[in-house]
Structure formats: structure tokens, C-alpha cells
Amino acid sequence: MQEPLQEPAHSNAQMDLDVVNMFVIAGGTLAIPILAFVASFLLWPSALIKIYYWYWRRALGMQVRYVYHEDYQFCYSFRGRPGNKPSLLMLHGFSAHKDMWLSVVKFLPKNLHLVCVDMPGHEGTTRSSLDDLSIDGQAKRIHQFVEVLKLNKKPFHLVGTSMGGHVAGVYAAYYPSDICSLSLVCPAGLQYSTDNQFVQRLKELQEPEAVQKIPLIPSTPEEMGEMLQLCSYVRFKVPQQILQGLVDVRIPHNNFYRKLFLEIINEKSRYCLHQNMDKIKVPTLIIWGKQDQVLDVSGADILAKSIDHCQVELLENCGHSVVMERPRKTAKLITDFLASVHSTGNKKLD
């Protein structure tokens, strides 16, 4: 039996934690009567979560669109139009979706062209039993999306976190002419000399029935709470109704998440970034939380030693859910990095 991947991709909690962190604000800002809000919170928390994302997209000017490669549908959100500055394509992590980037989008300059796509099988993008869900297969799917959108008409900046970071790094190696620079936020796909506690726990899940116990695929409010604690340095006191709502929106997809998880931890995918990182030739920004319990922060040093033009930023008091825990800092690091790499004369991105 194959060993589990040392570093699977887990940005799912970033999206869930963002909901938790902003839920009180949603209560005051959503344009619904207070009684309806309370009823939704108590009776249909999953519906309220969907309304929250709809509201937040609208407030930030993000529009949702669909494009097709043959009969394969891609769902994405965008803001702005291609211009003199590089466009940004943002790839989310395992079991998340395009809206996990909203907390970062809030702090990005409005004159940037942003594109956030649902990864293969997630949210509005096609889910097919015939799809190749390996990291290699996902990188090729994203390239199809880029081609259909003609995003590579001019080299763009690629951003990815966790599983999305794994795919982004491999994409940069496979399609170097498509991109001008790269940001990897605690990416998966690296081979470490020693296992952290989380990976050791995964290796204990060797029996077939253990696939039901993957810590990143919660099925109960209690398991959801445990996952949030695993992925975040900040400790939240989360109401039971919110935990239930977060679980409710995920349960219909859990079988797919299990299939995807097993695919990205198999021998073909587990170290795909590690095997291709020396082929990354564009300027690269690495962002990692120092207290990441899922993917060890030492991965930043592994990448820095293999990528020539590499800038590393390690964030104090931050776990795996960098995008949720430090959205303002993440946006500033990306913006400053783009300005330093792509500025012309005295023109800046901010």
C-alpha cells in the first residue's frame, strides 16, 4: 500500500475560517430583515453562508462567469480587465473554491485584473469521474482554462495556496512562457526529511476504512472544529450553528474530496512540485505561516534553494490558513512583490 503524501493540500479551512471570522459582520451588512437573519442562522446556516459569499463578491466587484473547453465547464470570478500590469490568476486549495480569495481581494489594488477559478471538480467547475485529478492533470486543466480565456496573451502572475500552490508551481514548470512571476502560499508537493505530527497522524490511517477519518474532510460539527484548529494558529470559539452550516455545505461533496485526496497523495502526485521546482525560472514569492501544522514551514527553504529568483516571507503567529489569517499582509506582500519585479520607471501597482 502506498504511503500517504507527506504534504497533502488543505486550504479548505481557509475558506471556512474566513466565514467564521466575518460572520458577525455579515449579520449587520446583509440586506435582509433581522428576523429572517436569525431564522436563517438557526435553521438554515448553510444557506446563510452562501448568501454571505454572494454579498461579499458583490461588495468587492467580483463577477462570476463560465467558459468552456469542449464540453468541460470552468467557473471563475474576476475583477477588472487586462492592462499594462500583469493579470493575476489565483488557485485555491483542496476542497475550497474561488471565494476563499475574497479576504485577500479586499486588499488588492482595484486597478489589477484578478481571476479566481474553481479548481477541477470544485464548486462550478465540471466534476467528472473521467477527469484526471492528479497534480499533473490539474495543471493541464488550468492551462486549458488559461487558453480559453486567452489569459496568456500576455504573461500573467500566478498565485496558489496549498494544493493550489502545488498546481501553480508545477504549472510554472510546465508552461514557463505563460507566466511572468509566481506566488506560492504554503504549497504542498514537497519532500521533507522528517514528518511533522500531522503527517505522522495520516500514516496511521492505513486501512481502507480509514479514508472516512481524513482530518481535512469533516463530517460532523466536532470534526469541523478540529479541522479549524488544525489549520489556524488563531483559536476561535465557533458557535455550533456555524459549525453545522460549514459541515452541511461540505457533506454532499465529501465522496469527491476523498477521491481527490487519495489522488493527490499517491505516488504520481505527492512530490510533483519537488520534482519540478528546479524548472521554475520566473521570479517567485514564497509566503508561509511559521506555525503551520499541516505543511511544515521548512518547505520555504527547500524552494528557496532550488529557485534562483526567490523571495521568502515567513509570517509570525500564523498557521496554514494564511489567506484567512493574514489577508491584508498577504495582499501587501503580493502587491509589493509585483511592483518590485514589474514596475516600469516610477509607476507602482498600488
Side-chain angles (χ1 to χ4, degrees), residues 95 100-101 108 130 179 200 250 274 298 318 326 350:
S95 79
M100 69 158 286
W101 291 108
L108 287 172
L130 302 177
I179 67 172
Q200 291 173 6
R250 297 170 62 91
H274 202 107
S298 60
C318 183
R326 306 291 289 280
D350 46 15

Side-chain angles (χ1 to χ4, degrees), residues 187-338:
L190 298 174
Q191 187 169 6
Y192 295 79
S193 56
T194 57
D195 295 338
N196 64 12
Q197 188 175 355
F198 173 74
V199 174
Q200 291 173 6
R201 180 180 172 188
L202 281 185
K203 287 188 173 181
E204 296 171 0
L205 305 177
Q206 292 291 333
E207 300 304 319
E209 61 269 17
V211 73
Q212 303 295 325
K213 301 177 183 177
I214 297 170
L216 300 162
I217 308 177
S219 297
T220 66
E222 291 73 26
E223 291 174 355
M224 174 59 71
E226 291 172 4
M227 187 189 75
L228 296 179
Q229 288 197 7
L230 172 69
C231 293
S232 174
Y233 175 77
V234 178
R235 291 293 175 258
F236 292 90
K237 180 69 174 177
V238 186
Q240 186 76 5
Q241 290 94 337
I242 296 180
L243 291 174
Q244 186 64 59
L246 294 172
V247 170
D248 288 346
V249 297
R250 297 170 62 91
I251 284 179
H253 309 287
N254 275 357
N255 285 338
F256 167 75
Y257 295 152
R258 292 185 185 102
K259 177 183 177 182
L260 172 61
F261 186 85
L262 294 177
E263 186 65 46
I264 62 177
I265 68 170
N266 71 20
E267 195 166 342
K268 178 182 179 182
S269 290
R270 66 176 71 180
Y271 303 133
C272 203
L273 176 56
H274 202 107
Q275 293 159 357
N276 288 280
M277 60 186 176
D278 60 339
K279 300 183 184 121
I280 299 174
K281 302 303 180 184
V282 296
T284 300
L285 172 66
I286 309 295
I287 305 174
W288 219 301
K290 283 190 176 182
Q291 284 73 37
D292 194 330
Q293 299 179 76
V294 178
L295 303 175
D296 195 83
V297 65
S298 60
D301 189 51
I302 294 173
L303 289 166
K305 289 177 178 177
S306 292
I307 302 173
D308 288 338
H309 307 287
C310 190
Q311 175 181 326
V312 174
E313 300 288 345
L314 305 183
L315 306 186
E316 292 281 0
N317 301 323
C318 183
H320 185 64
S321 299
V322 174
V323 172
M324 185 287 304
E325 295 181 74
R326 306 291 289 280
R328 186 192 297 268
K329 181 66 173 179
T330 300
K332 186 177 189 308
L333 288 172
I334 292 173
T335 302
D336 290 349
F337 179 71
L338 286 170

Side-chain angles (χ1 to χ4, degrees), residues 65-220:
R65 293 289 186 272
Y66 299 86
V67 292
Y68 296 84
H69 174 81
E70 297 175 350
D71 61 347
Y72 194 90
Q73 173 180 284
F74 292 98
C75 179
Y76 68 101
S77 60
F78 77 98
R79 186 174 76 185
R81 301 180 65 178
N84 294 327
K85 303 176 179 69
S87 298
L88 269 70
L89 174 60
M90 312 178 85
L91 308 182
H92 65 74
F94 173 79
S95 79
H97 53 65
K98 60 188 175 297
D99 292 333
M100 69 158 286
W101 291 108
L102 293 176
S103 57
V104 173
V105 167
K106 176 182 178 182
F107 298 107
L108 287 172
K110 290 185 171 58
N111 63 345
L112 288 179
H113 177 224
L114 309 177
V115 178
C116 305
V117 64
D118 285 326
M119 297 294 281
H122 291 75
E123 195 74 4
T125 292
T126 294
R127 179 177 299 174
S128 169
S129 59
L130 302 177
D131 213 9
D132 179 2
L133 296 173
S134 68
I135 297 300
D136 176 87
Q138 292 191 61
K140 290 174 180 175
R141 276 293 186 202
I142 295 302
H143 186 246
Q144 291 174 354
F145 171 73
V146 167
E147 292 271 294
V148 171
L149 215 60
K150 294 183 171 58
L151 197 60
N152 55 353
K153 190 173 182 180
K154 177 182 175 182
F156 60 89
H157 181 78
L158 183 59
V159 184
T161 184
S162 206
M163 181 191 78
H166 195 170
V167 174
V170 171
Y171 188 104
Y174 285 5
Y175 309 104
S177 64
D178 277 11
I179 67 172
C180 57
S181 49
L182 178 69
S183 291
L184 302 179
V185 184
C186 51
L190 298 174
Q191 187 169 6
Y192 295 79
S193 56
T194 57
D195 295 338
N196 64 12
Q197 188 175 355
F198 173 74
V199 174
Q200 291 173 6
R201 180 180 172 188
L202 281 185
K203 287 188 173 181
E204 296 171 0
L205 305 177
Q206 292 291 333
E207 300 304 319
E209 61 269 17
V211 73
Q212 303 295 325
K213 301 177 183 177
I214 297 170
L216 300 162
I217 308 177
S219 297
T220 66

